Amino acid sequence: MNTHQKLERRELGNTGLNLSCVGFGASPLGNVFGDVSEEQSIATVIEAFNQGINFFDTSPYYGATLSEKVLGKCLKALGASRDEYIVATKCGRYAEGFDFSAERVTKSIDESLERLQLEYVDILQCHDIEFGSLDQIVNETIPALQKIKESGKTRFIGITGLPLEVYTYVLDRVPPGTIDVVLSYCHYCINDSTLEDMLPYFKSKGVGVINASPLSMGLHTENGPPEWHPASPEIKAACKAAADYCKKNGKNISKLALQYSLSNKDISTTLVGMNSVKQVEENVGAALELETAGKDEKTFAEIENILKPIKNQSWPSGIQQT
């Protein structure tokens, strides 16, 4: 480790895994947000690992399998022993669409392992379950994932999605201890902290919590969200006002947004997409600053005041479940 201060590690539910509080979101390695060269990807992953990041998350969906392939090459270049890093990938969502059938997810893990050049992943997650039949997820997909776990191709299994109610639907219908992990995104950000209310429930189910997208898919950036962002005009306007306030006062909204997400220790890790050494340094720097100096309470109070009218508003995702 080349930093004087170490990045905090947190336990992930009952898995026994200790994850760096900042996790490496590998979707940018699939050229999802613009072209990234292989050299740049390798340098970014090596820097992240050297800075104490030990958790890497990908999916066959990101960049139509490119993210997995590139991450595999990066981990190879790392030359670290396999037990020094934790890898999560997903199944069920692909460039060509959704397929949560037992047959497809069983085939999916073999394809992923080949691309990642690994013998196993630490976590295999069912990707964006709100786009499938939740009853199929409960009765077909999860039993298939359990078999994959028994085969040793993954150590733990999880589910991901945007609407928080999909988690309770599934977790209330499977035996305790079946699901190890949930990955939630855009629900523990400055503008939306609804995940917090669910944390005691997840704990009661023995489920570890991964938080993703602390910048709420670009809402908390100086440049603002991408064109396709599904948030309402009201949410976008309020988030822009908060970003503008920060910029005017010499503060960085993205750094503050990440620190907000990191400040809840009941969340094991917060995933941030990274595609450059500079981004790694900024994200790790934000985490270390939070540990030593704490939150900038005055600026947070102002931001929260600006965002109050749209607090905890989200947007629809998936097919409506009956």
mmCIF file of all heavy atoms in Angstrom, residues 175-205:
data_model
loop_
_atom_site.group_PDB
_atom_site.id
_atom_site.type_symbol
_atom_site.label_atom_id
_atom_site.label_comp_id
_atom_site.label_asym_id
_atom_site.label_seq_id
_atom_site.Cartn_x
_atom_site.Cartn_y
_atom_site.Cartn_z
ATOM 1 N N PRO A 175 -35.922 -18.880 1.430
ATOM 2 C CA PRO A 175 -35.483 -19.231 2.788
ATOM 3 C C PRO A 175 -34.379 -18.290 3.279
ATOM 4 O O PRO A 175 -33.568 -17.810 2.480
ATOM 5 C CB PRO A 175 -34.938 -20.657 2.620
ATOM 6 C CG PRO A 175 -35.553 -21.183 1.359
ATOM 7 C CD PRO A 175 -35.747 -19.985 0.467
ATOM 8 N N PRO A 176 -34.340 -18.010 4.585
ATOM 9 C CA PRO A 176 -33.294 -17.139 5.144
ATOM 10 C C PRO A 176 -31.913 -17.675 4.783
ATOM 11 O O PRO A 176 -31.692 -18.890 4.784
ATOM 12 C CB PRO A 176 -33.524 -17.218 6.659
ATOM 13 C CG PRO A 176 -34.927 -17.683 6.823
ATOM 14 C CD PRO A 176 -35.251 -18.511 5.620
ATOM 15 N N GLY A 177 -31.010 -16.780 4.448
ATOM 16 C CA GLY A 177 -29.652 -17.181 4.111
ATOM 17 C C GLY A 177 -29.460 -17.538 2.644
ATOM 18 O O GLY A 177 -28.346 -17.839 2.209
ATOM 19 N N THR A 178 -30.551 -17.510 1.865
ATOM 20 C CA THR A 178 -30.447 -17.842 0.437
ATOM 21 C C THR A 178 -29.680 -16.763 -0.313
ATOM 22 O O THR A 178 -28.778 -17.045 -1.091
ATOM 23 C CB THR A 178 -31.858 -17.983 -0.193
ATOM 24 O OG1 THR A 178 -32.595 -18.945 0.525
ATOM 25 C CG2 THR A 178 -31.765 -18.409 -1.649
ATOM 26 N N ILE A 179 -30.076 -15.515 -0.067
ATOM 27 C CA ILE A 179 -29.443 -14.362 -0.733
ATOM 28 C C ILE A 179 -28.410 -13.777 0.222
ATOM 29 O O ILE A 179 -28.717 -13.504 1.379
ATOM 30 C CB ILE A 179 -30.499 -13.287 -1.075
ATOM 31 C CG1 ILE A 179 -31.605 -13.866 -1.946
ATOM 32 C CG2 ILE A 179 -29.855 -12.066 -1.722
ATOM 33 C CD1 ILE A 179 -31.401 -13.813 -3.405
ATOM 34 N N ASP A 180 -27.207 -13.576 -0.270
ATOM 35 C CA ASP A 180 -26.127 -13.049 0.569
ATOM 36 C C ASP A 180 -26.010 -11.527 0.504
ATOM 37 O O ASP A 180 -25.591 -10.884 1.462
ATOM 38 C CB ASP A 180 -24.779 -13.645 0.125
ATOM 39 C CG ASP A 180 -24.793 -15.170 0.149
ATOM 40 O OD1 ASP A 180 -24.964 -15.726 1.249
ATOM 41 O OD2 ASP A 180 -24.647 -15.792 -0.920
ATOM 42 N N VAL A 181 -26.353 -10.957 -0.672
ATOM 43 C CA VAL A 181 -26.020 -9.563 -0.963
ATOM 44 C C VAL A 181 -27.117 -8.901 -1.786
ATOM 45 O O VAL A 181 -27.725 -9.552 -2.639
ATOM 46 C CB VAL A 181 -24.717 -9.499 -1.815
ATOM 47 C CG1 VAL A 181 -24.281 -8.073 -2.067
ATOM 48 C CG2 VAL A 181 -23.591 -10.288 -1.182
ATOM 49 N N VAL A 182 -27.341 -7.600 -1.536
ATOM 50 C CA VAL A 182 -28.122 -6.803 -2.485
ATOM 51 C C VAL A 182 -27.257 -5.633 -2.945
ATOM 52 O O VAL A 182 -26.421 -5.128 -2.193
ATOM 53 C CB VAL A 182 -29.445 -6.261 -1.888
ATOM 54 C CG1 VAL A 182 -30.359 -7.395 -1.473
ATOM 55 C CG2 VAL A 182 -29.200 -5.310 -0.721
ATOM 56 N N LEU A 183 -27.439 -5.258 -4.210
ATOM 57 C CA LEU A 183 -26.762 -4.074 -4.746
ATOM 58 C C LEU A 183 -27.853 -3.080 -5.145
ATOM 59 O O LEU A 183 -28.644 -3.338 -6.046
ATOM 60 C CB LEU A 183 -25.899 -4.435 -5.965
ATOM 61 C CG LEU A 183 -24.979 -3.338 -6.526
ATOM 62 C CD1 LEU A 183 -23.882 -3.962 -7.392
ATOM 63 C CD2 LEU A 183 -25.720 -2.291 -7.349
ATOM 64 N N SER A 184 -27.899 -1.973 -4.414
ATOM 65 C CA SER A 184 -28.891 -0.930 -4.680
ATOM 66 C C SER A 184 -28.182 0.283 -5.252
ATOM 67 O O SER A 184 -27.041 0.573 -4.877
ATOM 68 C CB SER A 184 -29.579 -0.550 -3.362
ATOM 69 O OG SER A 184 -30.296 0.662 -3.500
ATOM 70 N N TYR A 185 -28.836 0.991 -6.170
ATOM 71 C CA TYR A 185 -28.197 2.194 -6.711
ATOM 72 C C TYR A 185 -29.168 3.372 -6.726
ATOM 73 O O TYR A 185 -30.389 3.194 -6.805
ATOM 74 C CB TYR A 185 -27.605 1.935 -8.105
ATOM 75 C CG TYR A 185 -28.602 1.707 -9.211
ATOM 76 C CD1 TYR A 185 -28.940 2.736 -10.096
ATOM 77 C CD2 TYR A 185 -29.197 0.460 -9.393
ATOM 78 C CE1 TYR A 185 -29.847 2.523 -11.120
ATOM 79 C CE2 TYR A 185 -30.102 0.245 -10.415
ATOM 80 C CZ TYR A 185 -30.427 1.280 -11.282
ATOM 81 O OH TYR A 185 -31.335 1.063 -12.286
ATOM 82 N N CYS A 186 -28.597 4.560 -6.616
ATOM 83 C CA CYS A 186 -29.356 5.826 -6.649
ATOM 84 C C CYS A 186 -30.323 5.991 -5.476
ATOM 85 O O CYS A 186 -31.201 6.845 -5.521
ATOM 86 C CB CYS A 186 -30.116 5.996 -7.958
ATOM 87 S SG CYS A 186 -29.054 6.222 -9.397
ATOM 88 N N HIS A 187 -30.173 5.185 -4.422
ATOM 89 C CA HIS A 187 -31.039 5.341 -3.247
ATOM 90 C C HIS A 187 -30.265 5.638 -1.962
ATOM 91 O O HIS A 187 -30.820 5.576 -0.870
ATOM 92 C CB HIS A 187 -31.922 4.109 -3.053
ATOM 93 C CG HIS A 187 -33.038 4.015 -4.046
ATOM 94 N ND1 HIS A 187 -33.944 5.032 -4.251
ATOM 95 C CD2 HIS A 187 -33.386 3.023 -4.913
ATOM 96 C CE1 HIS A 187 -34.815 4.668 -5.191
ATOM 97 N NE2 HIS A 187 -34.492 3.462 -5.606
ATOM 98 N N TYR A 188 -28.958 5.907 -2.112
ATOM 99 C CA TYR A 188 -28.252 6.490 -0.969
ATOM 100 C C TYR A 188 -27.338 7.585 -1.495
ATOM 101 O O TYR A 188 -26.126 7.441 -1.591
ATOM 102 C CB TYR A 188 -27.483 5.450 -0.132
ATOM 103 C CG TYR A 188 -27.267 5.993 1.260
ATOM 104 C CD1 TYR A 188 -28.258 5.877 2.222
ATOM 105 C CD2 TYR A 188 -26.117 6.721 1.582
ATOM 106 C CE1 TYR A 188 -28.105 6.439 3.487
ATOM 107 C CE2 TYR A 188 -25.957 7.288 2.838
ATOM 108 C CZ TYR A 188 -26.956 7.147 3.779
ATOM 109 O OH TYR A 188 -26.818 7.724 5.011
ATOM 110 N N CYS A 189 -28.002 8.662 -1.884
ATOM 111 C CA CYS A 189 -27.342 9.843 -2.465
ATOM 112 C C CYS A 189 -27.868 11.061 -1.696
ATOM 113 O O CYS A 189 -28.839 10.948 -0.955
ATOM 114 C CB CYS A 189 -27.733 10.011 -3.926
ATOM 115 S SG CYS A 189 -27.559 8.523 -4.916
ATOM 116 N N ILE A 190 -27.273 12.200 -1.931
ATOM 117 C CA ILE A 190 -27.730 13.412 -1.225
ATOM 118 C C ILE A 190 -29.204 13.680 -1.498
ATOM 119 O O ILE A 190 -29.920 14.157 -0.632
ATOM 120 C CB ILE A 190 -26.902 14.658 -1.625
ATOM 121 C CG1 ILE A 190 -25.402 14.401 -1.480
ATOM 122 C CG2 ILE A 190 -27.267 15.862 -0.771
ATOM 123 C CD1 ILE A 190 -24.537 15.586 -1.839
ATOM 124 N N ASN A 191 -29.664 13.372 -2.707
ATOM 125 C CA ASN A 191 -31.057 13.684 -3.069
ATOM 126 C C ASN A 191 -32.047 12.575 -2.717
ATOM 127 O O ASN A 191 -33.245 12.779 -2.760
ATOM 128 C CB ASN A 191 -31.166 13.971 -4.575
ATOM 129 C CG ASN A 191 -30.763 12.768 -5.409
ATOM 130 O OD1 ASN A 191 -29.675 12.229 -5.247
ATOM 131 N ND2 ASN A 191 -31.640 12.326 -6.289
ATOM 132 N N ASP A 192 -31.544 11.385 -2.396
ATOM 133 C CA ASP A 192 -32.433 10.246 -2.157
ATOM 134 C C ASP A 192 -31.750 9.264 -1.211
ATOM 135 O O ASP A 192 -30.821 8.561 -1.596
ATOM 136 C CB ASP A 192 -32.751 9.556 -3.489
ATOM 137 C CG ASP A 192 -33.714 8.379 -3.334
ATOM 138 O OD1 ASP A 192 -33.868 7.862 -2.204
ATOM 139 O OD2 ASP A 192 -34.306 7.964 -4.342
ATOM 140 N N SER A 193 -32.217 9.233 0.029
ATOM 141 C CA SER A 193 -31.586 8.342 1.023
ATOM 142 C C SER A 193 -32.558 7.267 1.501
ATOM 143 O O SER A 193 -32.478 6.778 2.621
ATOM 144 C CB SER A 193 -31.070 9.157 2.211
ATOM 145 O OG SER A 193 -32.144 9.881 2.792
ATOM 146 N N THR A 194 -33.505 6.878 0.627
ATOM 147 C CA THR A 194 -34.530 5.912 1.030
ATOM 148 C C THR A 194 -33.964 4.532 1.377
ATOM 149 O O THR A 194 -34.611 3.761 2.084
ATOM 150 C CB THR A 194 -35.607 5.763 -0.075
ATOM 151 O OG1 THR A 194 -34.959 5.655 -1.345
ATOM 152 C CG2 THR A 194 -36.532 6.961 -0.109
ATOM 153 N N LEU A 195 -32.773 4.223 0.899
ATOM 154 C CA LEU A 195 -32.155 2.934 1.240
ATOM 155 C C LEU A 195 -31.962 2.815 2.756
ATOM 156 O O LEU A 195 -32.018 1.703 3.308
ATOM 157 C CB LEU A 195 -30.801 2.788 0.517
ATOM 158 C CG LEU A 195 -30.002 1.511 0.788
ATOM 159 C CD1 LEU A 195 -30.732 0.264 0.311
ATOM 160 C CD2 LEU A 195 -28.620 1.587 0.130
ATOM 161 N N GLU A 196 -31.740 3.935 3.401
ATOM 162 C CA GLU A 196 -31.483 3.936 4.851
ATOM 163 C C GLU A 196 -32.593 3.223 5.633
ATOM 164 O O GLU A 196 -32.326 2.467 6.568
ATOM 165 C CB GLU A 196 -31.347 5.380 5.352
ATOM 166 C CG GLU A 196 -30.843 5.468 6.759
ATOM 167 C CD GLU A 196 -30.189 6.809 7.054
ATOM 168 O OE1 GLU A 196 -30.520 7.813 6.406
ATOM 169 O OE2 GLU A 196 -29.332 6.819 7.949
ATOM 170 N N ASP A 197 -33.846 3.456 5.240
ATOM 171 C CA ASP A 197 -34.985 2.838 5.941
ATOM 172 C C ASP A 197 -35.003 1.320 5.799
ATOM 173 O O ASP A 197 -35.614 0.622 6.593
ATOM 174 C CB ASP A 197 -36.317 3.401 5.401
ATOM 175 C CG ASP A 197 -36.435 4.895 5.643
ATOM 176 O OD1 ASP A 197 -35.784 5.394 6.586
ATOM 177 O OD2 ASP A 197 -37.168 5.568 4.887
ATOM 178 N N MET A 198 -34.327 0.822 4.765
ATOM 179 C CA MET A 198 -34.319 -0.618 4.496
ATOM 180 C C MET A 198 -33.191 -1.354 5.218
ATOM 181 O O MET A 198 -33.199 -2.584 5.292
ATOM 182 C CB MET A 198 -34.126 -0.863 2.994
ATOM 183 C CG MET A 198 -35.180 -0.266 2.100
ATOM 184 S SD MET A 198 -36.625 -1.324 1.962
ATOM 185 C CE MET A 198 -35.956 -2.742 1.090
ATOM 186 N N LEU A 199 -32.205 -0.612 5.728
ATOM 187 C CA LEU A 199 -31.010 -1.261 6.286
ATOM 188 C C LEU A 199 -31.318 -2.220 7.441
ATOM 189 O O LEU A 199 -30.774 -3.330 7.471
ATOM 190 C CB LEU A 199 -29.960 -0.211 6.678
ATOM 191 C CG LEU A 199 -29.384 0.592 5.486
ATOM 192 C CD1 LEU A 199 -28.435 1.683 5.994
ATOM 193 C CD2 LEU A 199 -28.674 -0.310 4.484
ATOM 194 N N PRO A 200 -32.211 -1.850 8.384
ATOM 195 C CA PRO A 200 -32.520 -2.816 9.452
ATOM 196 C C PRO A 200 -33.162 -4.100 8.907
ATOM 197 O O PRO A 200 -32.893 -5.199 9.400
ATOM 198 C CB PRO A 200 -33.509 -2.049 10.345
ATOM 199 C CG PRO A 200 -33.258 -0.598 10.047
ATOM 200 C CD PRO A 200 -32.868 -0.550 8.599
ATOM 201 N N TYR A 201 -33.988 -3.953 7.879
ATOM 202 C CA TYR A 201 -34.628 -5.117 7.247
ATOM 203 C C TYR A 201 -33.574 -6.041 6.636
ATOM 204 O O TYR A 201 -33.589 -7.254 6.857
ATOM 205 C CB TYR A 201 -35.628 -4.636 6.185
ATOM 206 C CG TYR A 201 -36.142 -5.735 5.277
ATOM 207 C CD1 TYR A 201 -37.175 -6.573 5.688
ATOM 208 C CD2 TYR A 201 -35.590 -5.931 4.016
ATOM 209 C CE1 TYR A 201 -37.647 -7.591 4.850
ATOM 210 C CE2 TYR A 201 -36.050 -6.939 3.179
ATOM 211 C CZ TYR A 201 -37.073 -7.762 3.594
ATOM 212 O OH TYR A 201 -37.525 -8.762 2.770
ATOM 213 N N PHE A 202 -32.640 -5.456 5.883
ATOM 214 C CA PHE A 202 -31.583 -6.273 5.268
ATOM 215 C C PHE A 202 -30.755 -6.979 6.340
ATOM 216 O O PHE A 202 -30.392 -8.142 6.198
ATOM 217 C CB PHE A 202 -30.676 -5.423 4.373
ATOM 218 C CG PHE A 202 -31.335 -4.963 3.102
ATOM 219 C CD1 PHE A 202 -31.246 -3.637 2.689
ATOM 220 C CD2 PHE A 202 -32.052 -5.850 2.308
ATOM 221 C CE1 PHE A 202 -31.860 -3.219 1.514
ATOM 222 C CE2 PHE A 202 -32.664 -5.437 1.122
ATOM 223 C CZ PHE A 202 -32.566 -4.119 0.734
ATOM 224 N N LYS A 203 -30.473 -6.244 7.403
ATOM 225 C CA LYS A 203 -29.686 -6.829 8.507
ATOM 226 C C LYS A 203 -30.434 -8.021 9.113
ATOM 227 O O LYS A 203 -29.841 -9.067 9.384
ATOM 228 C CB LYS A 203 -29.428 -5.760 9.570
ATOM 229 C CG LYS A 203 -28.231 -6.072 10.439
ATOM 230 C CD LYS A 203 -27.799 -4.853 11.250
ATOM 231 C CE LYS A 203 -26.417 -5.101 11.820
ATOM 232 N NZ LYS A 203 -25.866 -3.924 12.490
ATOM 233 N N SER A 204 -31.748 -7.872 9.273
ATOM 234 C CA SER A 204 -32.559 -8.951 9.855
ATOM 235 C C SER A 204 -32.577 -10.181 8.950
ATOM 236 O O SER A 204 -32.776 -11.307 9.411
ATOM 237 C CB SER A 204 -33.991 -8.479 10.103
ATOM 238 O OG SER A 204 -34.714 -8.410 8.879
ATOM 239 N N LYS A 205 -32.359 -9.971 7.655
ATOM 240 C CA LYS A 205 -32.329 -11.082 6.697
ATOM 241 C C LYS A 205 -30.903 -11.618 6.495
ATOM 242 O O LYS A 205 -30.680 -12.529 5.688
ATOM 243 C CB LYS A 205 -32.875 -10.621 5.335
ATOM 244 C CG LYS A 205 -34.351 -10.228 5.357
ATOM 245 C CD LYS A 205 -35.242 -11.439 5.352
ATOM 246 C CE LYS A 205 -36.710 -11.072 5.231
ATOM 247 N NZ LYS A 205 -37.598 -12.252 5.266
#
